[in-house]
Amino acid sequence: MKKTNSNLTSAEVNALSKAAAEIIRASGLEDDVLGVACKRIDKAVGEQTDAIKSTKVYSGLDEKDAKRDSLLQDIATILKAMSVIGVAEIEEAAKLLSKIFAK
């Protein structure tokens, strides 16, 4: 039996664990210890799967937050420019939009 590679990703370890439990079940061996081991593996696989999914969600949030912040800065810059443009209607619209934007 070979040792597993220590450079495996979480998803690879998860898949390996799931496969091991399935192999044990498919072997047809009736053993209380193996049954308990399979239940523990199944629980760990479920928890690991949830952790992997949440990590994927959180990893994308930083990029989305940066994009949102950039767009908000652009809007703030445009509103500042509109408020000093020298056209009364545009300046009044900028004041109204700035109040809304501040919220």
Side-chain angles (χ1 to χ4, degrees), residues 26-92:
S27 70
L29 294 174
E30 298 289 329
D31 186 357
D32 292 339
V33 175
L34 287 177
V36 170
C38 283
K39 286 180 184 177
R40 287 184 180 175
I41 290 172
D42 289 338
K43 182 180 178 194
V45 166
E47 291 171 356
Q48 184 70 13
T49 300
D50 291 343
I52 291 168
K53 287 179 183 176
S54 67
T55 301
K56 286 181 181 177
V57 170
Y58 288 126
S59 68
L61 289 179
D62 290 338
E63 182 181 321
K64 291 176 184 176
D65 284 346
K67 188 173 183 178
R68 180 204 60 218
D69 292 346
S70 174
L71 290 172
L72 290 174
Q73 289 174 346
D74 290 348
I75 292 170
T77 302
I78 291 169
L79 288 174
K80 285 179 186 177
M82 287 174 60
S83 67
V84 294
I85 201 161
V87 178
E89 292 107 9
I90 294 176
E91 289 178 0
E92 286 194 33

